[in-house]
Amino acid sequence: MIPTWYVTFEIRQRGILPRQRSPRETRTFATEDEAKSFARAKLDEGLSVFAGTINPHVPRRVIPASDIQAWLGDGGPPPPSEAPSIE
């Protein structure tokens, strides 16, 4: 199956680095459920996580770190695309 989702997470720094940086690693997944499971595990480790779909997958989704909890269903406000309409 072709990967359609990615999860990017920070890597804990080891040793002494000459300058401040934020190293990250990305993993790809065939399904959103697999991506969510992996993202939840990294979040439980206390790491900063964001996710999204890989181009040319449609609809394109990007889940910033600030919306990861809502995407995982752990609370927080719903993503804008899922917010109820006010009429």
Side-chain angles (χ1 to χ4, degrees):
M1 193 172 228
I2 298 172
T4 57
W5 282 87
Y6 70 87
V7 174
T8 298
F9 57 98
E10 68 182 354
I11 300 172
R12 291 212 166 104
Q13 296 179 0
R14 294 181 209 150
I16 299 174
L17 298 174
R19 60 189 162 112
Q20 198 72 350
R21 66 181 187 165
S22 178
R24 298 190 174 275
E25 186 174 327
T26 300
R27 301 270 173 91
T28 59
F29 303 91
T31 68
E32 184 175 9
D33 287 339
E34 291 173 332
K36 282 182 176 183
S37 177
F38 182 80
R40 180 172 281 114
K42 292 302 176 185
L43 200 60
D44 289 347
E45 290 177 28
L47 302 176
S48 176
V49 177
F50 62 94
T53 55
I54 299 171
N55 285 336
H57 182 75
V58 178
R60 183 154 199 253
R61 298 223 17 225
V62 176
I63 297 94
S66 60
D67 292 342
I68 285 290
Q69 294 287 351
W71 179 62
L72 294 175
D74 294 341
S81 62
E82 297 177 14
S85 61
I86 300 174
E87 294 181 30

